[in-house]
PDB file of all heavy atoms in Angstrom:
ATOM      1  N   ALA K 134      -3.939  19.231  44.335  1.00 85.00           N
ATOM      2  CA  ALA K 134      -2.693  19.557  45.042  1.00 85.00           C
ATOM      3  C   ALA K 134      -2.233  20.989  44.792  1.00 85.00           C
ATOM      4  O   ALA K 134      -1.434  21.526  45.572  1.00 85.00           O
ATOM      5  CB  ALA K 134      -1.605  18.589  44.606  1.00 85.00           C
ATOM      6  N   HIS K 135      -2.706  21.620  43.704  1.00 87.00           N
ATOM      7  CA  HIS K 135      -2.255  22.973  43.345  1.00 87.00           C
ATOM      8  C   HIS K 135      -0.733  23.044  43.319  1.00 87.00           C
ATOM      9  O   HIS K 135      -0.107  23.954  43.864  1.00 87.00           O
ATOM     10  CB  HIS K 135      -2.815  24.008  44.327  1.00 87.00           C
ATOM     11  CG  HIS K 135      -4.310  24.034  44.379  1.00 87.00           C
ATOM     12  ND1 HIS K 135      -5.088  24.519  43.356  1.00 87.00           N
ATOM     13  CD2 HIS K 135      -5.171  23.599  45.345  1.00 87.00           C
ATOM     14  CE1 HIS K 135      -6.376  24.397  43.674  1.00 87.00           C
ATOM     15  NE2 HIS K 135      -6.450  23.832  44.880  1.00 87.00           N
ATOM     16  N   ALA K 136      -0.120  22.058  42.672  1.00 85.00           N
ATOM     17  CA  ALA K 136       1.341  21.962  42.642  1.00 85.00           C
ATOM     18  C   ALA K 136       1.940  22.976  41.669  1.00 85.00           C
ATOM     19  O   ALA K 136       1.295  23.385  40.700  1.00 85.00           O
ATOM     20  CB  ALA K 136       1.732  20.545  42.225  1.00 85.00           C
ATOM     21  N   PRO K 137       3.174  23.395  41.930  1.00 87.00           N
ATOM     22  CA  PRO K 137       3.839  24.320  41.003  1.00 87.00           C
ATOM     23  C   PRO K 137       4.231  23.619  39.713  1.00 87.00           C
ATOM     24  O   PRO K 137       4.228  22.378  39.633  1.00 87.00           O
ATOM     25  CB  PRO K 137       5.084  24.749  41.789  1.00 87.00           C
ATOM     26  CG  PRO K 137       5.359  23.623  42.723  1.00 87.00           C
ATOM     27  CD  PRO K 137       4.011  23.086  43.100  1.00 87.00           C
ATOM     28  N   ALA K 138       4.582  24.394  38.706  1.00 84.00           N
ATOM     29  CA  ALA K 138       4.950  23.839  37.403  1.00 84.00           C
ATOM     30  C   ALA K 138       6.152  22.912  37.544  1.00 84.00           C
ATOM     31  O   ALA K 138       7.148  23.240  38.187  1.00 84.00           O
ATOM     32  CB  ALA K 138       5.275  24.963  36.421  1.00 84.00           C
ATOM     33  N   GLY K 139       6.029  21.727  36.940  1.00 82.00           N
ATOM     34  CA  GLY K 139       7.142  20.788  36.925  1.00 82.00           C
ATOM     35  C   GLY K 139       7.328  20.001  38.195  1.00 82.00           C
ATOM     36  O   GLY K 139       8.255  19.184  38.273  1.00 82.00           O
ATOM     37  N   ARG K 140       6.467  20.221  39.182  1.00 88.00           N
ATOM     38  CA  ARG K 140       6.608  19.520  40.451  1.00 88.00           C
ATOM     39  C   ARG K 140       5.259  18.942  40.883  1.00 88.00           C
ATOM     40  O   ARG K 140       4.631  19.423  41.823  1.00 88.00           O
ATOM     41  CB  ARG K 140       7.161  20.467  41.529  1.00 88.00           C
ATOM     42  CG  ARG K 140       8.618  20.842  41.335  1.00 88.00           C
ATOM     43  CD  ARG K 140       9.516  19.621  41.587  1.00 88.00           C
ATOM     44  NE  ARG K 140      10.931  19.918  41.363  1.00 88.00           N
ATOM     45  CZ  ARG K 140      11.581  19.598  40.267  1.00 88.00           C
ATOM     46  NH1 ARG K 140      10.944  18.967  39.280  1.00 88.00           N
ATOM     47  NH2 ARG K 140      12.853  19.873  40.119  1.00 88.00           N
ATOM     48  N   PRO K 141       4.779  17.905  40.194  1.00 89.00           N
ATOM     49  CA  PRO K 141       3.477  17.326  40.543  1.00 89.00           C
ATOM     50  C   PRO K 141       3.519  16.680  41.919  1.00 89.00           C
ATOM     51  O   PRO K 141       4.596  16.330  42.427  1.00 89.00           O
ATOM     52  CB  PRO K 141       3.254  16.284  39.445  1.00 89.00           C
ATOM     53  CG  PRO K 141       4.626  15.926  38.986  1.00 89.00           C
ATOM     54  CD  PRO K 141       5.430  17.193  39.085  1.00 89.00           C
ATOM     55  N   SER K 142       2.358  16.520  42.511  1.00 90.00           N
ATOM     56  CA  SER K 142       2.290  15.869  43.817  1.00 90.00           C
ATOM     57  C   SER K 142       2.710  14.411  43.680  1.00 90.00           C
ATOM     58  O   SER K 142       2.565  13.815  42.603  1.00 90.00           O
ATOM     59  CB  SER K 142       0.862  15.938  44.364  1.00 90.00           C
ATOM     60  OG  SER K 142      -0.005  15.116  43.598  1.00 90.00           O
ATOM     61  N   PRO K 143       3.247  13.812  44.747  1.00 92.00           N
ATOM     62  CA  PRO K 143       3.647  12.394  44.671  1.00 92.00           C
ATOM     63  C   PRO K 143       2.493  11.485  44.260  1.00 92.00           C
ATOM     64  O   PRO K 143       2.702  10.528  43.507  1.00 92.00           O
ATOM     65  CB  PRO K 143       4.119  12.093  46.098  1.00 92.00           C
ATOM     66  CG  PRO K 143       4.544  13.421  46.647  1.00 92.00           C
ATOM     67  CD  PRO K 143       3.595  14.416  46.045  1.00 92.00           C
TER      68      PRO K 143
END
Side-chain angles (χ1 to χ4, degrees):
H135 301 289
R140 289 291 178 260
S142 69

